[in-house]
Amino acid sequence: MTKCASCNKQWTGMLLFKAHFASEKGVECDYCHEKQYVSEKSKKRMIIPLLLVTAMLLIGLFAPPSVTQYFWVYITITAVTIIFMYVSLELTNVPPENQRN
């Protein structure tokens, strides 16, 4: 699981979920109260799994082999993607505008 860049405490699933959607604004750590941001490297790493889920959805819309088979494949890939996103998320103390410099 992801740990705070300041205090090195493990974050809960809810904080990680919040961090994904507030990556530009940052999320305050529940333990040390420092603002944390999703790293640029971590954001780039998320693109491939999200494209995979999108591709699976599009394939299912245009050429489904079987609704049941497709459903279980899609659910499995989506679950793996969500787990990957939470396990591989990296946090930093540096705001996104300063990371690019």
Side-chain angles (χ1 to χ4, degrees):
M1 270 312 244
T2 303
K3 294 182 179 183
C4 174
S6 296
C7 66
N8 212 24
K9 296 268 186 170
Q10 192 170 347
W11 274 28
T12 63
M14 198 57 160
L15 268 177
L16 290 173
F17 183 75
K18 196 190 295 185
H20 275 291
F21 294 103
S23 61
E24 294 295 318
K25 293 183 258 174
V27 177
E28 190 176 283
C29 176
D30 281 349
Y31 306 104
C32 67
H33 304 290
E34 288 282 328
K35 202 165 242 194
Q36 300 292 302
Y37 305 91
V38 176
S39 71
E40 288 296 318
K41 179 181 172 185
S42 194
K43 287 178 190 176
K44 289 176 185 173
R45 222 184 295 152
M46 299 301 149
I47 292 172
I48 293 171
L50 291 175
L51 288 176
L52 180 63
V53 170
T54 304
M56 286 298 298
L57 184 61
L58 291 173
I59 289 169
L61 290 174
F62 297 110
S66 154
V67 174
T68 307
Q69 289 174 342
Y70 177 74
F71 175 76
W72 288 113
V73 168
Y74 183 74
I75 292 298
T76 303
I77 289 175
T78 302
V80 167
T81 300
I82 290 169
I83 291 168
F84 173 77
M85 289 171 79
Y86 283 120
V87 170
S88 68
L89 188 71
E90 291 177 4
L91 298 173
T92 179
N93 300 343
V94 183
E97 60 271 3
N98 294 346
Q99 287 181 31
R100 294 184 187 112
N101 295 334

